[in-house]
Amino acid sequence: MGPLSEPVPERNQNKLYGIQFLEFVKKDRLSYKTYQAIVLIITFFAYASYHAARKTTSIVKSTLDPQSTEVGLKFIPWRITYLSEPEERRGFSWALGDGWTPFNGSDGTALLGDLDLAFLSIYAIAMYFSGHIGDRMDLRIFLTVGMIGTGLFTSLFGAGYWANEHSFYYFLIIQMIAGLFQSTGWPSVVAVVGNWFGKSKRGLIMGIWNAHTSVGNISGSLIASAMLSYGWGWSFVVPGFLIAFIGLVVFLVLPVSPESVGIDRNEDELHYPKKTEEEVTEPLLGSDSKVKETAVGFIEAWKIPGVAPFALCLFFAKLVAYTFLYWLPFYISHTAINGKYLSSGTAGNLSTLFDVGGVIGGILAGHISDRLDARAITAASFMYCAIPALFFYRSYGHISLVVNIALMFITGMFVNGPYALITTAVSADLGTHSSMKGNSRALATVTAIIDGTGSVGAAIGPLLTGYISEKSWSAVFTMLMGAALIAGLLLTRLVMAEVAAKIAESRPQTSAASRTPAVPQLDV
């Protein structure tokens, strides 16, 4: 018995402190399924916190730039102006409705659009490099640094409130550095989940898991809206501390792969028998340690069949999704619904229903793509359905609050459905494509390429909206409908290939059925 017990302490030395604590409490080794549950839960909350920190800007927009002379925020009962007081005193006497220099001027909306552009441009560029780095270092450390850095610079943006900071370049630089740290999140969490989960029902599992995006947006909206009455700085500081705290949890607990916690997949199968479907226990990434030594190059990853079309599709899909992410609360608060304007806080809370629809859309798109075994057909269909949804929301959303909520929910479902599908299941499919010959180090790079390209569109959409919305919101929605159409058309070749494959699959069955002799019926 002595020799059998020797490897245990050796393994524990390599295990994370959080894992050791859980095993101490349980007084037994954690099972493979327990590790999978830990990975799902931690990565879910990790990326939800990224989006919660990212969402705050959209909630505070209408507070920084109330446009009170044009739109009229006089419905806010606690609005107090201090125009008769000296400039230096007004900064600390801020109240809802006053706005914040330099964003409360005539070009305030454009400046807010510039902030979005700065954040998302750096985010998109850094995304390409973060996937490369993530494939070459410990993902747990990489993710932890990104989360703590994001929390720090999100909080520093809010610190401008107490520091009475009114320099546009201060907020611009903070947003750019925050975008750099935010780029670490997506390639890392997708790669970690890919290390632990198999290919069976990938679309459904990742569709449910991808709800972290909408959950993060919703929680970020609710937190930022709740903090507004205490000062807009708190709307940034609280989500900043939240993501930094979860980053520490990631550092202590998150196992990036079975090998990182001393689990041999072959050995694990002795304790946990395979199910009938081999794919259920087959990992997305192979366990060959020799293969893990090399990482796929940037150009090689682009050459994987399907990467370029889906990346370009996500460019336009994310343009639409992120325009809503950054501008929907602003749009709601500046649009009369049934003849009345909503406060910034109420508009922020109402905008969460778009993300609720996104949760349903992501799960639905993943499930449909699994059943049809057709990612491109599903993604393109959702993008085409988003076009009439956008049209009806713009045209009839002002009729009443109920109509606005219903149309917003439907729009969120069709806009976020393909976005969620492409960034999760499709990225995992392509990152483990057969052309890689089992190379396990392609997943983070492919994920970064697809999401990085999409993030370029995410930067352009909010920027254009900042300028176009000053003239017409109808023009903004026309732009979004055009982007949705192009996103669907970019997948046409893949859609046709999937349709041809379905027809080819059905032909042998049809011909076989026609060759089967009919069974004579006996008269009774």
Side-chain angles (χ1 to χ4, degrees), residues 310 313-314 317 361-362 365 378-384 386 412-424 426 491:
F310 274 113
C313 172
L314 189 63
T378 305
S381 299
F382 269 72
M383 292 310 308
Y384 290 139
M413 185 172 66
F414 287 120
V415 167
N416 282 345
Y419 163 40
L421 179 65
I422 294 172
T423 54
T424 54
V426 170
L491 296 180

Side-chain angles (χ1 to χ4, degrees), residues 226-259:
M227 294 293 106
L228 274 179
S229 59
Y230 300 101
W232 62 261
W234 288 109
S235 297
F236 289 90
V237 171
V238 173
F241 275 104
L242 177 64
I243 188 173
F245 172 77
I246 298 178
L248 293 176
V249 174
V250 166
F251 179 77
L252 294 172
V253 182
L254 182 64
V256 296
S257 67
E259 291 79 12

Side-chain angles (χ1 to χ4, degrees), residues 147-172:
M147 295 181 73
I148 294 178
T150 298
L152 173 62
F153 284 93
T154 300
S155 300
L156 285 176
F157 192 103
Y161 168 71
W162 293 283
N164 197 25
E165 182 60 58
H166 295 280
S167 171
F168 170 73
Y169 293 102
Y170 170 82
F171 298 106
L172 181 69

Side-chain angles (χ1 to χ4, degrees), residues 210-434:
N210 192 66
H212 51 49
T213 299
S214 296
V215 169
N217 291 339
I218 293 170
S219 59
S221 298
L222 296 177
I223 291 172
S225 298
M227 294 293 106
L228 274 179
S229 59
Y230 300 101
W232 62 261
W234 288 109
S235 297
F236 289 90
V237 171
V238 173
F241 275 104
L242 177 64
I243 188 173
F245 172 77
I246 298 178
L248 293 176
V249 174
V250 166
F251 179 77
L252 294 172
V253 182
L254 182 64
V256 296
S257 67
E259 291 79 12
S260 68
V261 288
I263 291 181
D264 179 12
R265 288 192 176 100
N266 295 327
E267 176 188 335
D268 184 76
E269 289 169 5
L270 297 176
H271 299 283
Y272 308 100
K274 281 189 175 183
K275 295 182 181 180
T276 305
E277 298 181 14
E278 186 177 350
E279 284 186 317
V280 175
T281 54
E282 180 187 349
L284 289 180
L285 305 179
S287 59
D288 188 349
S289 58
K290 293 183 180 179
V291 174
K292 284 178 175 288
E293 295 297 328
T294 60
V296 172
F298 184 78
I299 302 301
E300 288 179 274
W302 269 106
K303 293 179 180 178
I304 298 175
V307 167
F310 274 113
L312 294 174
C313 172
L314 189 63
F315 175 96
F316 292 97
K318 229 176 173 183
L319 185 152
V320 179
Y322 268 64
T323 297
F324 274 90
L325 174 69
Y326 280 95
W327 287 100
L328 182 57
F330 186 90
Y331 171 74
I332 294 173
S333 65
H334 291 76
T335 302
I337 300 176
N338 196 19
K340 299 178 182 179
Y341 290 96
L342 300 177
S343 67
S344 299
T346 303
N349 292 333
L350 186 64
S351 69
T352 60
L353 294 170
F354 177 85
D355 294 295
V356 174
V359 173
I360 304 301
I363 296 173
L364 192 60
H367 179 63
I368 292 174
S369 69
D370 278 342
R371 293 293 299 270
L372 297 178
D373 191 21
R375 310 289 196 208
I377 293 175
T378 305
S381 299
F382 269 72
M383 292 310 308
Y384 290 139
C385 290
I387 298 173
L390 288 164
F391 174 79
F392 286 123
Y393 181 65
R394 171 56 183 167
S395 301
Y396 303 104
H398 66 278
I399 293 177
S400 69
L401 195 59
V402 174
V403 173
N404 188 287
I405 289 173
L407 293 176
M408 187 193 309
F409 180 89
I410 294 172
T411 303
M413 185 172 66
F414 287 120
V415 167
N416 282 345
Y419 163 40
L421 179 65
I422 294 172
T423 54
T424 54
V426 170
S427 295
D429 287 347
L430 297 175
T432 55
H433 195 270
S434 57

